[in-house]
Amino acid sequence: MKSSANATWEGSLTEGSGSVSLAGGAAGPLDISWRARTEDQGASTNPEELIAAAHASCYSMALSHGLAGAGHPPSRLETSATVTFGPKEGGGFAISAVDLTVRGDVPGIDAAAFQQAADDAKDGCPVSQALAGNVQISVDAQLS
């Protein structure tokens, strides 16, 4: 399985703008700009928000799978991902962290087992694996 997206950009980095569309047709075109990355997002999106969406959804799937495999399929998982982007030492910009927050309604599981499943999913999620070694990833997991 391959997934793709398409972006168009016009102008310089700081003065230009563009759009991005998901090739599958589920979203887009979405406006993108440098300002949406560094100042006020407004109605635009940015690469970091798209990474956050990918990570939150991938993580939810991985956690759901792990919980179900342990005999505790979740009734509901609510996951948010916050991506930190900013200047890096030596110049330029980088993504430095992703903070995952998950709240779960999981019948028959205690807080310690949920936390362990959440940590395992953080390490097993394919998006986490793609970012590993480059970005600090944390998870705050609590039962609802």
Side-chain angles (χ1 to χ4, degrees), residues 40-91:
D40 176 30
Q41 196 165 335
S44 295
T45 191
N46 57 58
E48 293 73 34
E49 185 176 47
L50 297 171
I51 289 170
H55 206 171
S57 57
C58 181
Y59 177 82
S60 293
M61 291 178 196
L63 180 54
S64 176
H65 179 67
L67 289 165
H72 300 287
S75 297
R76 182 178 180 88
L77 297 172
E78 292 185 20
T79 304
S80 65
T82 302
V83 173
T84 301
F85 173 80
K88 66 178 182 176
E89 192 173 318

Side-chain angles (χ1 to χ4, degrees), residues 99-121:
D99 299 310
L100 297 165
T101 301
V102 61
R103 300 297 178 255
D105 181 4
V106 186
I109 198 169
D110 64 22
F114 183 64
Q115 183 65 55
Q116 183 61 55
D119 290 338
D120 291 346

Side-chain angles (χ1 to χ4, degrees), residues 3 11 14 19 28 36 74 102 105 114 143-144:
S3 298
T14 57
S19 65
V102 61
D105 181 4
F114 183 64
L143 291 169
S144 303

